[in-house]
Every structure is written in structure tokens, then in C-alpha cells.
Amino acid sequence: SSRRRHTRFRNVTGVQTCALPISTDGGTSWIQVSPSPGAGTGSIVRYFNPSDVMLFNNGAIKISNNGGSTWQGPAVGPSFLGNESVVFDNAHNGLQALGNRAWFGTNNHRIFRSMDKGNTWNVATVQSMPVNSVIQTIAFVDSMHGLAVASLLFPNYNYDVASHAAKSSNGGGLWMAAPNLPAVISNLCAVPGSSNAYVGVAGGTGTSPVTMITVDGGSNWFVVNTTTALGCVAFVSPTTGWASNPDASNGSSPAIYKWSGSPVNVNEIESTDEINLYPSPATDFINITMSEQQNWENATLMIYDQTGRLCYESNNLIAGKNIDIHKFEKGVYFVKVTNGKQFATLKFSHL
């Protein structure tokens, strides 16, 4: 692979702790980069191609143009605030690289972007992210479309009950609000080869085990596992992915897991087929109709405004029951209905 990640290795022959080993034969053998690009823990490496490499070590960025043999600082590094720091913990995808671009987030709900393989950095605009949020993980499904996920971190490493999200459709220059995730995740990856699929996992300190999937760029999330604690995740195709729990959190033993199945396994139902909404425009109530009620038993219904703010939620959808919207502000609203196996996206306007 042209993009490889190496952090602190243990039990690797000939490699000292905190050094940067490189393998060019799929991991059969390793060589140590000399000179070492930095001392200490917390190193994250991203390869743009076999020659151009970027390393984040102890808050400092180093770049290499010869595969890691020599390193230098960027021409224009990120301009941090006085109390600003970067959260790279438990193998999070906090440092993301794709094509010639790279991104990372900070504890000041800011995202930095490089357009030239890490050589120059600028701050992107992030809208509607809580001011005390810590941006933990960023993933791009292509060079233009990405998701950033943040949590509200309280004292003693306690997290809020949900992860906050922002999405970009212009390569990370502007980030708009996305619906909150139903649980806290610590790691997010895009699914190469999919149109807009991402997988999120959690299970480290302060979080509960969860694996969840979105196939529509973060508008809808489906929880697929709540028993396996995972610290990091990576997919190479819609059917092949790995995850691990290297820190043995929540009583789990260190292990590597391989995905079985496909993340793109949630079907979107056309509104005219099985589920529909009326009236639109609406003033006081809306109603959901279903052609096969048994297929949508115990379904969840969520209504979002155009900014992605959740305005209404019901965990037990009943066909034919009026939904009161008379207090909603005028505008366009999106209705998400899901039963965990399929989902429908509906829309109405409120007058």
C-alpha cells in the first residue's frame, strides 16, 4: 500500500522502542529509519506515496521526500493557539491523508488542512461544533467529501453521551454541521470503493463498546455491535476491513478483528415504495404511511432541520399517528426512518 502507518513498535527485531520501522514487503521484515525523526511516544505517520511521508511526533510535524530517510519541518506549520493541543490517542485516525491533502483536528474544535503533502498548513472553517469539543478523528471517502467527529471531554476523561459531527464537501476547507452520532466513537474510517460509507468504533477509556455504520455520509448511523471494544479501524474495500483493541480496555484482551460482510448492507427504500409522508407543505401535523407495517415495527423516526439539528425523535414509530409540528419554525425538514436494516429519507416543508 502507498499509505502506511507506523507508530511505536515493541518486539520487533532490531528496532528500539519509539523508533520508526518501515516494511516494504508486507511486514515480513522491518528496517529502522535513520536518523530517527523524533524521540518519544505518540508518533503517527501518513504516506502520500512511497516517497512523500508526513510524521506527527510530540506535537511537531516532520515531512520527508525520500521515503523517510531524512526529515525536515514544513515550510508553513500550523499556527496553534496557546492552549491548543492535538489528540492522537489509541491509534485514532486523527491525522488523515488522501491524495496530496492532509487534515487533523484539535481540542479547540479547529481543523487544520494541508493541500501540499504537509508542507503548508491553514485553519479550516468549522461551523456549529461545540466550543469545548475535542476533534478526535477525521476520515475522507474521497478528496472532497469527509467527516470529522468530536466529543465533549469533561474532567477525568469522561465523555459526553454522543459524538458531534461535521461534514465537508469541498476538501475540508469548510465544515458544516452533521447529525450527532447515537453514541461516542473514538475512531472513524471511510470505506474505499463506497459512495459515502464510514465505520466508527469505540471501546477505550471513558467510552462504551460500539461499532456503527453510515452509508449516506453521516445522515443515518446504524449500530451493529455493542459488545466488542475496539480502538482503531481501517477498511481497504467495502468487504475487507480490520479493527483492533490494542489497549485491552473494558476488560477485553488485545486482539485483531476482521470484518465479515459488507458495510454497505443497509438498503435505502424509495418513499413511494414502502413508506410515505403527508401532507407537504404542512402546518400542524404530518403523518407517516407504510405499505407493510411489520417491516417497520419499532422503527426510529428523526426529524432534522436544514442545519442538521435534531428537532424530533421517536423510537417507536406507529403508522397513521399524527406527529405534532406546529411549533416548528417555517422551513424545510428531513425525516429519517430506520429499523436497523433499511432506512427511508423523507422531506416536508412547514408553513
Side-chain angles (χ1 to χ4, degrees), residues 2 4 47-54 63-70 117:
S2 61
R4 295 161 287 177
Y47 275 71
F48 300 98
N49 55 56
S51 297
D52 296 310
V53 197
M54 175 179 59
I63 57 177
S64 173
N65 306 119
N66 52 20
S69 296
T70 58
K117 305 175 186 176

Side-chain angles (χ1 to χ4, degrees), residues 11-22:
N11 302 324
V12 179
T13 302
V15 177
Q16 298 176 350
T17 301
C18 302
L20 178 69
I22 290 179

